[in-house]
Amino acid sequence: MYRPRRSVLFLPASNPRAIEKARSLACDVVVLDLEDAVAPEAKREARIAAVEAARAGGFGGRELVVRANGLDTAWGADDLAALADAPVDAVLVPKVSRAEEVARARAAVAKPVWAMIETCRALLALREIVEAGPAALVAGTNDLSKEMRCRPGADRAPLVPLLAQIIVAARAAGLAAIDGVSNAIDDPAAVEREAMQGLQLGFDGKSLIHPSQIDPANRVFTPSADEVAWAETVAAAFALPENAGRGAIRVEGRMVELLHLEEARRVLAVAGSKLG
């Protein structure tokens, strides 16, 4: 079943007010962060708060993910242990650089693991990483830019080839792919432009760091009325009894195959997303 992930909002697990507010926001995914957004002295309390928030529920149809600390840090192993029995939809592992890190996390939590691709080493090991079985790849553009010492600018030109590599790896393994964050908090137009670039590259949605970025991301990654209408037409045509079992049919003068049906179902899943 396809899950819409147009807007993936990161917020510090140590901030109870932010967590409570997230329960009513229009984002598709809430990521309770134990890593970058939490100071070292608050790591343990944030871990406890994340688990308690997950058990309290109230996130409606939003997917709930927790970003653990890196597995090579003093907190990573304890994070995974605490999240093993927590009612979260997935665990996001930062700074994944090797397939072994994905395998270790999957074994520890026995639930879907998302991998953040934000190091140069990870880009060189993408094939092995996706073969280790993550459920999604998340581009960590800020850390990647820092490690590369590049200057992305508004067009993110130095990162575009690498973002395309992440997309190719994710699609080859049938994984979700989430674009990196925009650092523009008070400029919705800038967020929208960056989200549109991500959409054109092939991402499913965008990582966000502030509630003000949700609406621009949702606008961009929500299919247009024309796209929805065509998807409905394709799905209805394949559902006709005379087309049962056929791999290719004619729809409104076009040749349509099963791959188009798969895309139509994805479009309808995103367009029909209801959060509550």
Side-chain angles (χ1 to χ4, degrees):
M1 178 66 69
Y2 183 86
R3 297 193 69 165
R5 294 172 175 126
R6 303 165 301 172
S7 44
V8 180
L9 178 64
F10 285 70
L11 53 91
S14 55
N15 187 333
R17 291 182 62 186
I19 293 174
E20 184 57 35
K21 184 177 181 180
R23 290 184 167 101
S24 63
L25 295 174
C27 54
D28 290 332
V29 184
V30 172
V31 181
L32 304 182
D33 190 16
L34 304 180
E35 194 211 16
D36 287 346
V38 179
E41 62 272 15
K43 296 287 189 183
R44 180 177 178 277
E45 291 75 13
R47 182 190 306 131
I48 294 171
V51 173
E52 289 178 347
R55 289 178 176 156
F59 293 93
R62 298 162 193 82
E63 199 166 2
L64 182 62
V65 179
V66 176
R67 177 163 71 171
N69 285 282
L71 302 190
D72 60 348
T73 69
W75 311 284
D78 288 339
D79 289 345
L80 295 185
L83 295 170
D85 296 324
V88 300
D89 294 296
V91 174
L92 175 57
V93 180
K95 297 179 178 63
V96 169
S97 295
R98 300 182 301 276
E100 292 79 6
E101 294 167 322
V102 175
R104 176 183 167 191
R106 291 185 66 203
V109 300
K111 61 188 59 177
V113 167
W114 293 14
M116 287 204 73
I117 306 302
E118 50 188 340
T119 69
C120 294
R121 184 180 292 275
L123 269 297
L124 297 177
L126 272 175
R127 178 172 179 172
E128 292 79 11
I129 288 171
V130 299
E131 288 176 348
L137 299 183
V138 181
T141 44
N142 280 341
D143 279 285
L144 186 57
S145 297
K146 178 182 177 182
E147 187 169 309
M148 290 173 60
R149 302 177 193 167
C150 70
R151 300 178 183 181
D155 61 1
R156 301 196 297 178
L159 297 175
V160 168
L162 307 180
L163 295 173
Q165 287 183 48
I166 293 172
I167 287 291
V168 170
R171 298 301 176 235
L175 312 180
I178 308 300
D179 195 4
V181 302
S182 169
N183 297 317
I185 294 177
D186 298 320
D187 189 349
V191 177
E192 190 161 338
R193 285 193 300 271
E194 199 169 297
M196 180 58 69
Q197 182 188 51
L199 175 71
Q200 292 171 338
L201 284 168
F203 283 103
D204 296 301
K206 188 161 185 63
S207 302
L208 311 174
I209 55 174
H210 193 273
S212 66
Q213 299 176 326
I214 295 173
D215 285 346
N218 282 348
R219 278 197 301 272
V220 169
F221 285 98
T222 297
S224 68
D226 287 344
E227 290 172 321
V228 172
W230 175 245
E232 290 173 339
T233 299
V234 170
F238 270 103
L240 294 173
E242 60 266 31
N243 292 329
R246 298 181 63 181
I249 61 176
R250 183 170 178 166
V251 180
E252 296 184 355
R254 305 187 206 177
M255 182 62 68
V256 177
E257 302 178 56
L258 289 176
L259 63 92
H260 299 109
L261 175 60
E262 180 182 354
E263 174 62 12
R265 288 171 174 164
R266 186 196 68 81
V267 167
L268 294 175
V270 176
S273 175
K274 289 183 174 60
L275 302 175

